[in-house]
Amino acid sequence: MAGRLIGRGLNALSQAVLARQIGPSAFGLFSIAWALLRVVSLLGPLGMDSAMVRFGPARLREDPRRFRGLFYFTAAVALAAGAVYGALCYLGAGWIA
């Protein structure tokens, strides 16, 4: 808990310093972009990390080949999603900037 409190305090301090350095309007844009990044980072993995944690051990006990298939499937979905997100960011870079 102490580490979390220290981290929150340092985060608040860094936000205050950043706001002083870049000004209110730029800091507002930064805050919006940061919030959007956090939301997308939650949606980005498409639940594949949770799928491996939930279904992986059962598949490994039943049949290691099924576990390997689950691993490859989750890795392929994550790779495809990352490629799509990367392509969208690349194509929309002018609009995002």
Side-chain angles (χ1 to χ4, degrees):
M1 180 154 168
R4 186 172 274 185
L5 286 174
I6 291 170
R8 297 276 169 105
L10 288 174
N11 186 27
L13 180 66
S14 68
Q15 297 269 332
V17 169
L18 185 63
R20 285 284 227 181
Q21 292 295 318
I22 64 175
S25 62
F27 184 73
L29 288 175
F30 170 78
S31 296
I32 291 169
W34 186 254
L36 185 62
L37 178 71
R38 290 189 59 157
V39 168
V40 170
S41 71
L42 291 174
L43 300 175
L46 300 173
M48 291 297 118
D49 50 347
S50 300
M52 275 303 291
V53 170
R54 179 175 176 159
F55 299 116
R59 298 286 194 275
L60 186 59
R61 278 193 301 271
E62 292 171 9
D63 185 12
R65 285 183 288 162
R66 289 185 71 195
F67 175 76
R68 195 171 19 252
L70 178 66
F71 175 78
Y72 288 141
F73 174 74
T74 57
V77 168
L79 181 67
V84 168
Y85 295 147
L88 289 174
C89 286
Y90 179 76
L91 294 174
W95 181 78
I96 293 171

